[in-house]
Amino acid sequence: MKNIKNIKNIKNIKNIKNIKKYLKTGDILVISFAVMFLIYITFLTWNKGKIIPDKAVIYVKGKVFQNVNLYEDKHKIFTINGELGETQIEILNGKIRIKSDNSNKQICVKQGWISKVGEIAICAPNQISVKIEGRSNIYDSIVY
């Protein structure tokens, strides 16, 4: 019978002032700790995949052409000669992209900016690719 009265009292709670009647200091501490713990766990899992890249490696015809530091210059554009002609690669604030290419479909240009460890931009017709490397990879393996 007493439990039924408590349930009716809980239904009558309409604002914070009425909640204070039913909660004790210990209850508020436990609820506060639980909320802070959930926020902490969410923050840890949300940022798990954000590994800071060290460099970008540019490959031409499957061989390493150049290692590029993504944070050395704020903005840099350089040109590489590939199988079909010139390819422009742009670096800006820790990101890299293939800005222009002589291939027909422009797939690598449409891919846009890459900035995470393990990401790759490939221009197959021009035989140029850009891969971002870091201390550890997000992906175990990549299959093409």
Side-chain angles (χ1 to χ4, degrees):
M1 192 69 171
K2 198 173 193 183
N3 290 338
I4 294 173
K5 287 182 182 178
N6 287 339
I7 293 172
K8 288 180 183 178
N9 288 337
I10 291 173
K11 288 181 182 178
N12 290 332
I13 297 175
K14 292 184 180 177
N15 58 32
I16 301 288
K17 292 177 184 175
N18 287 337
I19 291 175
K20 288 182 181 179
K21 285 191 236 179
Y22 300 103
L23 294 178
K24 296 180 181 175
T25 306
D27 297 332
I28 293 171
L29 288 174
V30 169
I31 291 169
S32 299
F33 177 75
V35 169
M36 288 188 300
F37 181 73
L38 287 174
I39 290 170
Y40 176 72
I41 294 297
T42 302
F43 179 75
L44 284 180
T45 56
W46 196 273
N47 290 324
K48 184 178 181 182
K50 295 184 180 175
I51 301 169
I52 298 172
D54 293 333
K55 63 182 176 181
V57 181
I58 300 169
Y59 297 91
V60 177
K61 296 182 182 179
K63 297 180 181 175
V64 175
F65 176 75
Q66 186 175 2
N67 291 322
V68 180
N69 185 344
L70 296 174
Y71 299 100
E72 191 173 276
D73 298 323
K74 289 192 176 223
H75 187 250
K76 185 177 184 181
I77 298 174
F78 52 95
T79 305
I80 298 173
N81 290 321
E83 191 70 24
L84 299 176
E86 293 183 346
T87 298
Q88 285 189 338
I89 297 178
E90 181 178 16
I91 301 171
L92 179 66
N93 297 329
K95 301 181 288 187
I96 191 167
R97 72 173 177 161
I98 297 176
K99 185 176 181 178
S100 66
D101 186 55
N102 289 336
S103 62
N104 293 334
K105 295 184 181 180
Q106 299 285 308
I107 293 172
C108 56
V109 175
K110 291 176 185 174
Q111 182 177 354
W113 295 100
I114 58 174
S115 60
K116 295 178 184 169
V117 174
E119 286 186 317
I120 303 173
I122 300 173
C123 288
N126 213 7
Q127 297 183 6
I128 294 176
S129 61
V130 177
K131 180 180 180 184
I132 297 187
E133 294 184 353
R135 290 184 207 109
S136 61
N137 286 330
I138 293 174
Y139 311 110
D140 291 337
S141 64
I142 297 175
V143 178
Y144 298 100

